[in-house]
């Protein structure tokens, strides 16, 4: 029986409606955030590649300037976007956290943290940013973590019957759509995009990443990515399947693709700085292992790094119990990412230091340390404005 005593057993199973309009608009906002960040600052909005290195910088007392400043401002915006959803869109974006045991939340968080560091990306870095760059690594990672996540849900719900399951069907279409908040968020995000691009002087160092992060956070809530039940029902292709999140990825790519494709043309550069150019090939073993671990954690609790950051405050506001367990998964994602990062950096260090290295090469090697950006970078042309 599904309701037998088990330390992994959720106490409730929430079903949600098929929401293509709301989720599609949320996907547009996530893609818009990626496009704005890349066009304005040349930054890849892979949340694990922003959150993890930002934590590493904090613990190593890295000066809050340059890339570290950008990451911290983006994360503040991401949390802010989640809080706006909490205030104006709570029923859809942040229903009650699912009643999984703390052990399950902790184990899943460890898998997500280890996997996103070893695989150097998650749904945003590999999906929204990597796929439109035609990165072979991303085209391998996305199917791997999607398949493992779907298999995990199939096992927990239909195989081992640890979780309550439902017969196969497509979730009921929600009509008319609840369009008020998504359209309001879209209008606000367009204004934030203008601010990110047009703000002059030193203020743009703060405004641009803060705006991009806020847009991303708004998009996560609008799309339903912050709802564990909605994510797990999307992954449950053998039960009452909710295809809403397919609209998130599809609409997000519609916005991010033109900017990513434009950036690949020779001589192009962002408004400020250089394009981050993560390696498109190589390190396939760690990529597949990392993507599989991430998919396992994602399939266990329906949480990936972006929703974990955007949702930690809203779910913590639910108080003791499941909200606190969600916070535990957030903590374990962070700790597992940092521990995996330290191990991998120690193991890779001897390989990254040639016997004779020019100073410029040494600087480039030291800079190439972000999980989504740390591999060999492709040449990039500096320019003050894009051609």
């Amino acid at each position: 029986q599904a309701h037998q005593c088990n330390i992994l057993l959720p106490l409730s199973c929430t079903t949600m409606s098929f929401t293509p309009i709301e989720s599609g608009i949320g996907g547009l906002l996530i893609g818009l955030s990626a496009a704005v960040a890349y066009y304005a600052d040349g930054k890849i909005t892979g949340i694990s590649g922003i959150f993890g290195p930002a934590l590493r910088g904090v613990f190593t007392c890295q000066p809050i300037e340059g890339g570290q400043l950008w990451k911290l401002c983006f994360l503040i915006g991401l949390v802010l976007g989640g809080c706006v959803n909490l205030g104006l869109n709570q029923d859809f974006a942040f229903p009650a956290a699912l009643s999984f045991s703390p052990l399950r939340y902790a184990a899943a968080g460890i898998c997500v943290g280890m996997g996103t560091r070893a695989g150097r990306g998650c749904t945003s870095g590999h999906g929204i940013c990597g796929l439109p760059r035609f990165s072979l690594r991303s085209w391998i990672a996305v199917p791997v973590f999607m398949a493992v996540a779907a298999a995990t849900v199939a096992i927990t719900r239909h195989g081992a019957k640890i979780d309550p399951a439902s017969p196969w069907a497509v979730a009921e279409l929600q009509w008319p759509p609840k369009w008020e908040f998504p359209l309001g968020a879209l209008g606000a995000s367009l204004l934030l995009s203008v601010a990110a691009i047009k703000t002059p002087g030193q203020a743009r160092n703060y405004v641009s990443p803060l705006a991009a992060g806020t847009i991303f956070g708004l998009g996560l809530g609008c799309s339903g990515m912050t709802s564990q039940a909605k994510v797990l029902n999307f992954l449950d292709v053998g039960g009452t399947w909710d295809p809403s999140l397919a609209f998130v990825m599809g609409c997000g790519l519609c916005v991010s693709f033109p900017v990513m494709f434009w950036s690949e043309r020779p001589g192009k550069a962002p408004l400020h700085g250089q394009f981050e150019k993560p390696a498109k090939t190589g390190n396939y073993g760690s990529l597949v292992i990392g993507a599989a671990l991430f998919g396992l954690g994602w399939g266990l609790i329906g949480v990936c790094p972006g929703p974990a950051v955007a949702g930690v405050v809203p779910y913590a506001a639910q108080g003791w119990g499941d909200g606190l367990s969600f916070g535990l998964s957030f903590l374990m994602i962070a700790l597992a990412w940092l521990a995996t990062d330290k191990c991998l950096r120690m193991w890779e260090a001897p390989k990254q230091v040639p016997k004779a290295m020019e100073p410029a090469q040494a600087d480039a090697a030291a800079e190439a340390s972000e999980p989504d950006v740390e591999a060999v970078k492709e040449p990039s042309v500096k320019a003050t404005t894009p051609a």
Side-chain angles (χ1 to χ4, degrees), residues 181-313:
F181 180 80
L183 287 185
L186 178 59
S189 296
L190 292 175
L191 294 176
L192 288 171
S193 300
V194 174
I197 294 172
K198 295 296 185 180
T199 299
Q202 293 297 317
R204 69 158 310 281
N205 295 331
Y206 301 89
V207 173
S208 181
L210 186 64
T214 303
I215 296 169
F216 203 108
L218 291 173
L220 288 174
C222 287
S223 67
M225 286 289 293
T226 51
S227 168
Q228 295 170 269
K230 199 164 188 66
V231 171
L232 293 176
N233 287 344
F234 167 69
L235 295 171
D236 186 12
V237 294
T240 302
W241 184 51
D242 179 358
S244 301
L245 299 193
F247 286 76
V248 179
M249 181 66 77
C251 292
L253 289 173
C254 287
V255 181
S256 66
F257 174 78
V259 173
M260 299 294 175
F261 183 77
W262 167 81
S263 71
E264 296 295 311
R265 297 172 60 188
K268 299 302 180 182
L271 295 177
H272 305 275
Q274 292 180 281
F275 286 124
E276 291 180 341
K277 297 285 188 177
K280 296 181 180 180
T281 59
N283 297 323
Y284 298 117
S286 60
L287 172 70
V288 172
I289 293 172
L293 279 171
F294 166 54
L296 175 61
W298 193 32
L300 281 173
I301 60 173
V303 177
C304 59
V309 176
V312 65
V313 172

Side-chain angles (χ1 to χ4, degrees), residues 38 44 133 135 276-280 372-373 375-378:
Y38 210 53
I44 294 286
R133 293 183 60 245
S135 167
E276 291 180 341
K277 297 285 188 177
K280 296 181 180 180
D372 287 302
V373 191
V376 178
K377 297 185 179 181
E378 301 168 8

Side-chain angles (χ1 to χ4, degrees), residues 311-375:
V312 65
V313 172
Y315 281 119
Q318 296 179 6
W320 293 92
D322 299 330
L324 190 63
S325 295
F326 184 97
L328 174 62
S329 71
F330 169 82
L331 177 62
M332 298 312 297
I333 289 172
L335 293 177
W337 192 100
L338 289 170
T340 306
D341 176 68
K342 186 175 182 61
C343 292
L344 289 177
R345 287 164 69 86
M346 291 175 61
W347 182 68
E348 294 171 352
K351 303 178 182 180
Q352 295 178 349
V353 184
K355 293 182 179 180
M357 179 181 288
E358 298 295 329
Q361 292 176 316
D363 292 341
E367 181 182 353
S369 58
E370 309 301 344
D372 287 302
V373 191
E374 92 296 354

